[in-house]
mmCIF file of all heavy atoms in Angstrom:
data_model
loop_
_atom_site.group_PDB
_atom_site.id
_atom_site.type_symbol
_atom_site.label_atom_id
_atom_site.label_comp_id
_atom_site.label_asym_id
_atom_site.label_seq_id
_atom_site.Cartn_x
_atom_site.Cartn_y
_atom_site.Cartn_z
ATOM 1 N N GLU A 33 -7.246 1.502 14.361
ATOM 2 C CA GLU A 33 -8.395 0.924 13.668
ATOM 3 C C GLU A 33 -8.879 -0.199 14.575
ATOM 4 O O GLU A 33 -8.112 -1.088 14.934
ATOM 5 C CB GLU A 33 -7.963 0.335 12.327
ATOM 6 C CG GLU A 33 -7.578 1.398 11.312
ATOM 7 C CD GLU A 33 -6.670 0.861 10.229
ATOM 8 O OE1 GLU A 33 -5.967 -0.147 10.475
ATOM 9 O OE2 GLU A 33 -6.645 1.457 9.145
ATOM 10 N N TYR A 35 -11.058 -3.391 15.019
ATOM 11 C CA TYR A 35 -11.821 -4.429 14.335
ATOM 12 C C TYR A 35 -12.901 -4.983 15.281
ATOM 13 O O TYR A 35 -12.841 -4.766 16.499
ATOM 14 C CB TYR A 35 -10.863 -5.525 13.870
ATOM 15 C CG TYR A 35 -10.035 -5.119 12.653
ATOM 16 C CD1 TYR A 35 -8.857 -4.388 12.782
ATOM 17 C CD2 TYR A 35 -10.446 -5.454 11.366
ATOM 18 C CE1 TYR A 35 -8.108 -3.999 11.669
ATOM 19 C CE2 TYR A 35 -9.703 -5.076 10.239
ATOM 20 C CZ TYR A 35 -8.536 -4.351 10.397
ATOM 21 O OH TYR A 35 -7.809 -3.967 9.294
ATOM 22 N N ASP A 62 -22.285 15.126 25.643
ATOM 23 C CA ASP A 62 -21.347 15.001 24.531
ATOM 24 C C ASP A 62 -20.805 16.391 24.197
ATOM 25 O O ASP A 62 -21.519 17.388 24.324
ATOM 26 C CB ASP A 62 -22.045 14.378 23.325
ATOM 27 C CG ASP A 62 -21.069 13.968 22.242
ATOM 28 O OD1 ASP A 62 -19.895 13.680 22.557
ATOM 29 O OD2 ASP A 62 -21.474 13.933 21.070
ATOM 30 N N SER A 65 -15.447 18.076 19.306
ATOM 31 C CA SER A 65 -14.104 17.514 19.174
ATOM 32 C C SER A 65 -13.087 18.581 18.799
ATOM 33 O O SER A 65 -11.889 18.350 18.878
ATOM 34 C CB SER A 65 -14.084 16.434 18.096
ATOM 35 O OG SER A 65 -15.011 15.430 18.410
ATOM 36 N N THR A 84 -0.982 19.546 21.588
ATOM 37 C CA THR A 84 -2.254 19.427 20.876
ATOM 38 C C THR A 84 -2.062 19.256 19.376
ATOM 39 O O THR A 84 -1.039 19.647 18.807
ATOM 40 C CB THR A 84 -3.110 20.692 21.068
ATOM 41 O OG1 THR A 84 -2.332 21.825 20.661
ATOM 42 C CG2 THR A 84 -3.558 20.842 22.502
ATOM 43 N N LYS A 90 -9.889 27.151 8.054
ATOM 44 C CA LYS A 90 -9.936 27.901 6.801
ATOM 45 C C LYS A 90 -10.378 29.341 7.009
ATOM 46 O O LYS A 90 -10.222 30.177 6.134
ATOM 47 C CB LYS A 90 -10.807 27.163 5.783
ATOM 48 C CG LYS A 90 -10.076 25.918 5.270
ATOM 49 C CD LYS A 90 -10.907 25.016 4.373
ATOM 50 C CE LYS A 90 -10.037 23.822 3.952
ATOM 51 N NZ LYS A 90 -10.803 22.707 3.394
ATOM 52 N N MET A 108 -19.991 24.566 29.461
ATOM 53 C CA MET A 108 -21.384 24.127 29.349
ATOM 54 C C MET A 108 -22.158 24.437 30.631
ATOM 55 O O MET A 108 -23.328 24.803 30.590
ATOM 56 C CB MET A 108 -21.460 22.630 29.026
ATOM 57 C CG MET A 108 -21.102 22.308 27.577
ATOM 58 S SD MET A 108 -21.040 20.504 27.231
ATOM 59 C CE MET A 108 -22.775 20.045 27.289
ATOM 60 N N GLN A 111 -22.617 28.433 30.917
ATOM 61 C CA GLN A 111 -23.517 29.147 30.017
ATOM 62 C C GLN A 111 -24.981 28.759 30.180
ATOM 63 O O GLN A 111 -25.855 29.415 29.638
ATOM 64 C CB GLN A 111 -23.048 29.017 28.570
ATOM 65 C CG GLN A 111 -23.276 27.666 27.949
ATOM 66 C CD GLN A 111 -22.402 27.426 26.724
ATOM 67 O OE1 GLN A 111 -21.592 28.262 26.349
ATOM 68 N NE2 GLN A 111 -22.567 26.281 26.109
ATOM 69 N N LYS A 120 -24.328 16.390 37.917
ATOM 70 C CA LYS A 120 -23.456 15.202 37.861
ATOM 71 C C LYS A 120 -23.439 14.695 36.422
ATOM 72 O O LYS A 120 -24.433 14.156 35.947
ATOM 73 C CB LYS A 120 -23.988 14.128 38.819
ATOM 74 C CG LYS A 120 -24.001 14.581 40.275
ATOM 75 C CD LYS A 120 -24.797 13.642 41.165
ATOM 76 C CE LYS A 120 -23.978 12.447 41.601
ATOM 77 N NZ LYS A 120 -24.788 11.543 42.489
ATOM 78 N N GLU A 140 -4.667 9.256 19.717
ATOM 79 C CA GLU A 140 -6.131 9.318 19.787
ATOM 80 C C GLU A 140 -6.578 8.248 20.768
ATOM 81 O O GLU A 140 -6.180 7.097 20.654
ATOM 82 C CB GLU A 140 -6.761 9.053 18.421
ATOM 83 C CG GLU A 140 -8.284 8.972 18.467
ATOM 84 C CD GLU A 140 -8.906 8.828 17.078
ATOM 85 O OE1 GLU A 140 -8.704 7.779 16.425
ATOM 86 O OE2 GLU A 140 -9.584 9.762 16.636
ATOM 87 N N TYR A 142 -9.910 7.106 23.833
ATOM 88 C CA TYR A 142 -11.157 7.421 24.523
ATOM 89 C C TYR A 142 -10.823 7.791 25.960
ATOM 90 O O TYR A 142 -9.881 7.242 26.544
ATOM 91 C CB TYR A 142 -12.088 6.208 24.525
ATOM 92 C CG TYR A 142 -12.805 5.980 23.223
ATOM 93 C CD1 TYR A 142 -12.356 5.028 22.314
ATOM 94 C CD2 TYR A 142 -13.936 6.717 22.899
ATOM 95 C CE1 TYR A 142 -13.015 4.816 21.114
ATOM 96 C CE2 TYR A 142 -14.602 6.512 21.692
ATOM 97 C CZ TYR A 142 -14.143 5.559 20.811
ATOM 98 O OH TYR A 142 -14.795 5.355 19.624
ATOM 99 N N GLU A 159 -17.873 11.320 46.657
ATOM 100 C CA GLU A 159 -18.777 10.681 45.689
ATOM 101 C C GLU A 159 -18.059 10.430 44.353
ATOM 102 O O GLU A 159 -18.219 9.383 43.729
ATOM 103 C CB GLU A 159 -20.023 11.556 45.486
ATOM 104 C CG GLU A 159 -21.003 11.087 44.415
ATOM 105 C CD GLU A 159 -22.116 10.161 44.897
ATOM 106 O OE1 GLU A 159 -22.011 9.614 46.022
ATOM 107 O OE2 GLU A 159 -23.078 9.967 44.133
ATOM 108 N N ASN A 270 -16.634 1.914 50.478
ATOM 109 C CA ASN A 270 -15.982 0.611 50.503
ATOM 110 C C ASN A 270 -15.865 -0.066 49.134
ATOM 111 O O ASN A 270 -16.162 -1.238 48.961
ATOM 112 C CB ASN A 270 -16.741 -0.309 51.485
ATOM 113 C CG ASN A 270 -15.972 -1.580 51.797
ATOM 114 O OD1 ASN A 270 -14.746 -1.616 51.742
ATOM 115 N ND2 ASN A 270 -16.704 -2.651 52.099
ATOM 116 N N TYR A 271 -15.436 0.719 48.137
ATOM 117 C CA TYR A 271 -15.263 0.151 46.798
ATOM 118 C C TYR A 271 -13.823 -0.262 46.500
ATOM 119 O O TYR A 271 -13.563 -0.848 45.455
ATOM 120 C CB TYR A 271 -15.735 1.134 45.720
ATOM 121 C CG TYR A 271 -17.215 1.035 45.430
ATOM 122 C CD1 TYR A 271 -18.092 2.033 45.814
ATOM 123 C CD2 TYR A 271 -17.725 -0.067 44.746
ATOM 124 C CE1 TYR A 271 -19.444 1.939 45.531
ATOM 125 C CE2 TYR A 271 -19.081 -0.168 44.467
ATOM 126 C CZ TYR A 271 -19.938 0.839 44.862
ATOM 127 O OH TYR A 271 -21.260 0.734 44.582
ATOM 128 N N LYS A 370 -36.816 -12.123 8.182
ATOM 129 C CA LYS A 370 -37.457 -10.964 8.795
ATOM 130 C C LYS A 370 -38.252 -11.357 10.036
ATOM 131 O O LYS A 370 -38.177 -10.679 11.074
ATOM 132 C CB LYS A 370 -38.370 -10.249 7.809
ATOM 133 C CG LYS A 370 -39.027 -9.058 8.493
ATOM 134 C CD LYS A 370 -39.864 -8.209 7.604
ATOM 135 C CE LYS A 370 -40.362 -7.002 8.399
ATOM 136 N NZ LYS A 370 -41.235 -6.157 7.595
ATOM 137 N N ARG A 373 -35.648 -11.928 12.764
ATOM 138 C CA ARG A 373 -34.969 -10.687 13.172
ATOM 139 C C ARG A 373 -35.926 -9.811 13.979
ATOM 140 O O ARG A 373 -35.521 -9.176 14.952
ATOM 141 C CB ARG A 373 -34.471 -9.923 11.936
ATOM 142 C CG ARG A 373 -33.185 -10.508 11.366
ATOM 143 C CD ARG A 373 -32.810 -9.905 10.014
ATOM 144 N NE ARG A 373 -31.483 -10.377 9.590
ATOM 145 C CZ ARG A 373 -30.997 -10.236 8.359
ATOM 146 N NH1 ARG A 373 -31.707 -9.629 7.417
ATOM 147 N NH2 ARG A 373 -29.792 -10.691 8.063
ATOM 148 N N GLU A 374 -37.167 -9.781 13.585
ATOM 149 C CA GLU A 374 -38.130 -8.946 14.320
ATOM 150 C C GLU A 374 -38.407 -9.517 15.710
ATOM 151 O O GLU A 374 -38.985 -8.838 16.550
ATOM 152 C CB GLU A 374 -39.417 -8.758 13.511
ATOM 153 C CG GLU A 374 -39.265 -7.781 12.354
ATOM 154 C CD GLU A 374 -38.782 -6.397 12.802
ATOM 155 O OE1 GLU A 374 -39.409 -5.806 13.686
ATOM 156 O OE2 GLU A 374 -37.749 -5.922 12.278
ATOM 157 N N GLU A 380 -28.331 -14.572 10.075
ATOM 158 C CA GLU A 380 -27.520 -14.421 8.876
ATOM 159 C C GLU A 380 -28.197 -15.197 7.759
ATOM 160 O O GLU A 380 -28.726 -16.299 7.990
ATOM 161 C CB GLU A 380 -26.103 -14.956 9.128
ATOM 162 C CG GLU A 380 -25.136 -14.721 7.992
ATOM 163 C CD GLU A 380 -24.962 -13.240 7.650
ATOM 164 O OE1 GLU A 380 -25.886 -12.679 7.024
ATOM 165 O OE2 GLU A 380 -23.920 -12.663 7.995
ATOM 166 N N GLU B 13 -22.760 21.200 21.620
ATOM 167 C CA GLU B 13 -22.646 20.723 22.995
ATOM 168 C C GLU B 13 -23.951 20.001 23.270
ATOM 169 O O GLU B 13 -25.028 20.569 23.102
ATOM 170 C CB GLU B 13 -22.500 21.902 23.955
ATOM 171 C CG GLU B 13 -21.161 22.609 23.815
ATOM 172 C CD GLU B 13 -21.213 24.034 24.339
ATOM 173 O OE1 GLU B 13 -22.308 24.619 24.355
ATOM 174 O OE2 GLU B 13 -20.157 24.541 24.722
ATOM 175 N N TYR B 15 -26.363 18.433 25.881
ATOM 176 C CA TYR B 15 -26.718 18.345 27.306
ATOM 177 C C TYR B 15 -27.454 17.022 27.568
ATOM 178 O O TYR B 15 -27.928 16.366 26.630
ATOM 179 C CB TYR B 15 -27.568 19.570 27.683
ATOM 180 C CG TYR B 15 -26.759 20.850 27.816
ATOM 181 C CD1 TYR B 15 -26.434 21.627 26.704
ATOM 182 C CD2 TYR B 15 -26.295 21.268 29.050
ATOM 183 C CE1 TYR B 15 -25.682 22.790 26.823
ATOM 184 C CE2 TYR B 15 -25.539 22.428 29.189
ATOM 185 C CZ TYR B 15 -25.234 23.187 28.071
ATOM 186 O OH TYR B 15 -24.479 24.333 28.203
ATOM 187 N N ASP B 42 -14.493 0.612 14.813
ATOM 188 C CA ASP B 42 -14.193 2.015 15.107
ATOM 189 C C ASP B 42 -12.979 2.428 14.276
ATOM 190 O O ASP B 42 -12.082 1.618 14.018
ATOM 191 C CB ASP B 42 -13.925 2.186 16.602
ATOM 192 C CG ASP B 42 -13.873 3.645 17.012
ATOM 193 O OD1 ASP B 42 -14.506 4.484 16.351
ATOM 194 O OD2 ASP B 42 -13.186 3.948 18.004
ATOM 195 N N SER B 45 -10.083 9.259 13.689
ATOM 196 C CA SER B 45 -10.754 10.523 13.364
ATOM 197 C C SER B 45 -9.885 11.409 12.493
ATOM 198 O O SER B 45 -10.356 12.407 11.950
ATOM 199 C CB SER B 45 -11.083 11.282 14.648
ATOM 200 O OG SER B 45 -11.880 10.491 15.482
ATOM 201 N N THR B 64 -12.986 19.709 3.742
ATOM 202 C CA THR B 64 -12.455 19.063 4.945
ATOM 203 C C THR B 64 -11.840 20.064 5.912
ATOM 204 O O THR B 64 -11.430 21.152 5.520
ATOM 205 C CB THR B 64 -11.344 18.060 4.583
ATOM 206 O OG1 THR B 64 -10.344 18.754 3.846
ATOM 207 C CG2 THR B 64 -11.877 16.900 3.783
ATOM 208 N N LYS B 70 2.240 18.613 13.070
ATOM 209 C CA LYS B 70 3.532 19.152 13.492
ATOM 210 C C LYS B 70 4.698 18.446 12.812
ATOM 211 O O LYS B 70 5.822 18.930 12.854
ATOM 212 C CB LYS B 70 3.649 19.103 15.023
ATOM 213 C CG LYS B 70 2.724 20.149 15.653
ATOM 214 C CD LYS B 70 2.649 20.107 17.164
ATOM 215 C CE LYS B 70 1.732 21.245 17.642
ATOM 216 N NZ LYS B 70 1.241 21.090 19.007
ATOM 217 N N MET B 88 -9.201 -1.009 5.970
ATOM 218 C CA MET B 88 -9.221 -2.031 7.015
ATOM 219 C C MET B 88 -9.505 -3.418 6.435
ATOM 220 O O MET B 88 -8.950 -4.425 6.884
ATOM 221 C CB MET B 88 -10.266 -1.685 8.087
ATOM 222 C CG MET B 88 -9.832 -0.555 9.006
ATOM 223 S SD MET B 88 -11.131 -0.032 10.185
ATOM 224 C CE MET B 88 -11.171 -1.432 11.320
ATOM 225 N N GLN B 91 -6.276 -4.556 4.299
ATOM 226 C CA GLN B 91 -5.018 -4.906 4.968
ATOM 227 C C GLN B 91 -5.132 -6.138 5.850
ATOM 228 O O GLN B 91 -4.126 -6.649 6.322
ATOM 229 C CB GLN B 91 -4.469 -3.698 5.734
ATOM 230 C CG GLN B 91 -5.204 -3.348 6.991
ATOM 231 C CD GLN B 91 -4.939 -1.907 7.442
ATOM 232 O OE1 GLN B 91 -4.235 -1.151 6.775
ATOM 233 N NE2 GLN B 91 -5.499 -1.534 8.558
ATOM 234 N N LYS B 100 -19.563 -7.985 7.289
ATOM 235 C CA LYS B 100 -20.682 -7.052 7.505
ATOM 236 C C LYS B 100 -20.338 -6.178 8.704
ATOM 237 O O LYS B 100 -20.332 -6.645 9.833
ATOM 238 C CB LYS B 100 -21.969 -7.835 7.771
ATOM 239 C CG LYS B 100 -22.382 -8.712 6.579
ATOM 240 C CD LYS B 100 -23.472 -9.714 6.959
ATOM 241 C CE LYS B 100 -24.843 -9.102 6.914
ATOM 242 N NZ LYS B 100 -25.902 -10.109 7.251
ATOM 243 N N GLU B 120 -19.723 19.238 12.557
ATOM 244 C CA GLU B 120 -19.420 17.978 13.244
ATOM 245 C C GLU B 120 -20.731 17.234 13.431
ATOM 246 O O GLU B 120 -21.699 17.806 13.919
ATOM 247 C CB GLU B 120 -18.771 18.244 14.609
ATOM 248 C CG GLU B 120 -18.571 16.970 15.423
ATOM 249 C CD GLU B 120 -17.817 17.236 16.737
ATOM 250 O OE1 GLU B 120 -18.379 17.893 17.627
ATOM 251 O OE2 GLU B 120 -16.673 16.779 16.852
ATOM 252 N N TYR B 122 -22.618 12.995 13.837
ATOM 253 C CA TYR B 122 -22.479 11.541 13.884
ATOM 254 C C TYR B 122 -23.003 10.968 12.577
ATOM 255 O O TYR B 122 -23.943 11.504 11.992
ATOM 256 C CB TYR B 122 -23.290 10.958 15.032
ATOM 257 C CG TYR B 122 -22.641 11.120 16.381
ATOM 258 C CD1 TYR B 122 -23.039 12.120 17.253
ATOM 259 C CD2 TYR B 122 -21.632 10.252 16.787
ATOM 260 C CE1 TYR B 122 -22.439 12.265 18.502
ATOM 261 C CE2 TYR B 122 -21.024 10.396 18.028
ATOM 262 C CZ TYR B 122 -21.438 11.401 18.880
ATOM 263 O OH TYR B 122 -20.841 11.525 20.104
ATOM 264 N N GLU B 139 -29.694 -6.679 0.996
ATOM 265 C CA GLU B 139 -29.522 -6.792 2.454
ATOM 266 C C GLU B 139 -29.163 -5.426 3.071
ATOM 267 O O GLU B 139 -29.662 -5.067 4.139
ATOM 268 C CB GLU B 139 -28.438 -7.837 2.767
ATOM 269 C CG GLU B 139 -28.065 -7.987 4.240
ATOM 270 C CD GLU B 139 -28.866 -9.035 5.030
ATOM 271 O OE1 GLU B 139 -29.929 -9.466 4.551
ATOM 272 O OE2 GLU B 139 -28.423 -9.396 6.135
ATOM 273 N N ASN B 250 -39.714 -6.311 3.035
ATOM 274 C CA ASN B 250 -40.940 -5.586 3.390
ATOM 275 C C ASN B 250 -40.762 -4.644 4.585
ATOM 276 O O ASN B 250 -41.593 -4.612 5.492
ATOM 277 C CB ASN B 250 -42.050 -6.620 3.678
ATOM 278 C CG ASN B 250 -43.421 -5.970 3.767
ATOM 279 O OD1 ASN B 250 -43.663 -4.927 3.139
ATOM 280 N ND2 ASN B 250 -44.302 -6.563 4.554
ATOM 281 N N TYR B 251 -39.671 -3.875 4.577
ATOM 282 C CA TYR B 251 -39.471 -2.906 5.665
ATOM 283 C C TYR B 251 -39.948 -1.502 5.313
ATOM 284 O O TYR B 251 -39.915 -0.609 6.157
ATOM 285 C CB TYR B 251 -37.999 -2.851 6.084
ATOM 286 C CG TYR B 251 -37.618 -3.898 7.108
ATOM 287 C CD1 TYR B 251 -36.823 -4.984 6.772
ATOM 288 C CD2 TYR B 251 -38.071 -3.788 8.430
ATOM 289 C CE1 TYR B 251 -36.477 -5.939 7.720
ATOM 290 C CE2 TYR B 251 -37.735 -4.739 9.376
ATOM 291 C CZ TYR B 251 -36.939 -5.806 9.019
ATOM 292 O OH TYR B 251 -36.609 -6.741 9.954
ATOM 293 N N LYS B 350 -24.717 2.333 48.798
ATOM 294 C CA LYS B 350 -23.961 1.297 48.095
ATOM 295 C C LYS B 350 -24.782 0.028 47.930
ATOM 296 O O LYS B 350 -24.799 -0.575 46.851
ATOM 297 C CB LYS B 350 -22.669 0.971 48.829
ATOM 298 C CG LYS B 350 -21.889 -0.086 48.058
ATOM 299 C CD LYS B 350 -20.581 -0.451 48.657
ATOM 300 C CE LYS B 350 -19.902 -1.477 47.757
ATOM 301 N NZ LYS B 350 -18.596 -1.843 48.285
ATOM 302 N N ARG B 353 -27.231 0.763 45.098
ATOM 303 C CA ARG B 353 -26.563 0.902 43.796
ATOM 304 C C ARG B 353 -26.078 -0.452 43.288
ATOM 305 O O ARG B 353 -26.158 -0.750 42.097
ATOM 306 C CB ARG B 353 -25.383 1.879 43.912
ATOM 307 C CG ARG B 353 -25.823 3.339 43.926
ATOM 308 C CD ARG B 353 -24.698 4.289 44.254
ATOM 309 N NE ARG B 353 -25.116 5.679 44.092
ATOM 310 C CZ ARG B 353 -24.448 6.734 44.553
ATOM 311 N NH1 ARG B 353 -23.305 6.568 45.203
ATOM 312 N NH2 ARG B 353 -24.898 7.969 44.366
ATOM 313 N N GLU B 354 -25.592 -1.274 44.189
ATOM 314 C CA GLU B 354 -25.101 -2.590 43.770
ATOM 315 C C GLU B 354 -26.240 -3.503 43.329
ATOM 316 O O GLU B 354 -25.998 -4.549 42.719
ATOM 317 C CB GLU B 354 -24.267 -3.238 44.881
ATOM 318 C CG GLU B 354 -22.871 -2.627 45.020
ATOM 319 C CD GLU B 354 -22.075 -2.671 43.723
ATOM 320 O OE1 GLU B 354 -21.921 -3.766 43.167
ATOM 321 O OE2 GLU B 354 -21.630 -1.600 43.247
ATOM 322 N N GLU B 360 -29.476 8.644 44.400
ATOM 323 C CA GLU B 360 -28.871 9.946 44.665
ATOM 324 C C GLU B 360 -28.783 10.120 46.169
ATOM 325 O O GLU B 360 -29.693 9.718 46.899
ATOM 326 C CB GLU B 360 -29.734 11.049 44.039
ATOM 327 C CG GLU B 360 -29.121 12.437 44.112
ATOM 328 C CD GLU B 360 -27.759 12.531 43.425
ATOM 329 O OE1 GLU B 360 -26.768 12.064 44.021
ATOM 330 O OE2 GLU B 360 -27.692 13.054 42.297
#
Side-chain angles (χ1 to χ4, degrees):
Chain A
E33 290 158 335
Y35 285 84
D62 191 27
S65 302
T84 55
K90 287 173 180 164
M108 285 175 71
Q111 73 199 2
K120 298 168 83 180
E140 174 175 67
Y142 282 100
E159 175 91 345
N270 192 28
Y271 274 109
K370 179 175 184 182
R373 281 170 173 167
E374 285 303 306
E380 186 59 285
Chain B
E13 291 158 335
Y15 285 83
D42 191 27
S45 303
T64 56
K70 289 174 178 162
M88 286 175 72
Q91 73 200 3
K100 298 167 83 178
E120 174 175 68
Y122 282 100
E139 175 91 344
N250 192 28
Y251 274 108
K350 181 178 182 178
R353 282 171 173 166
E354 285 304 305
E360 187 59 283

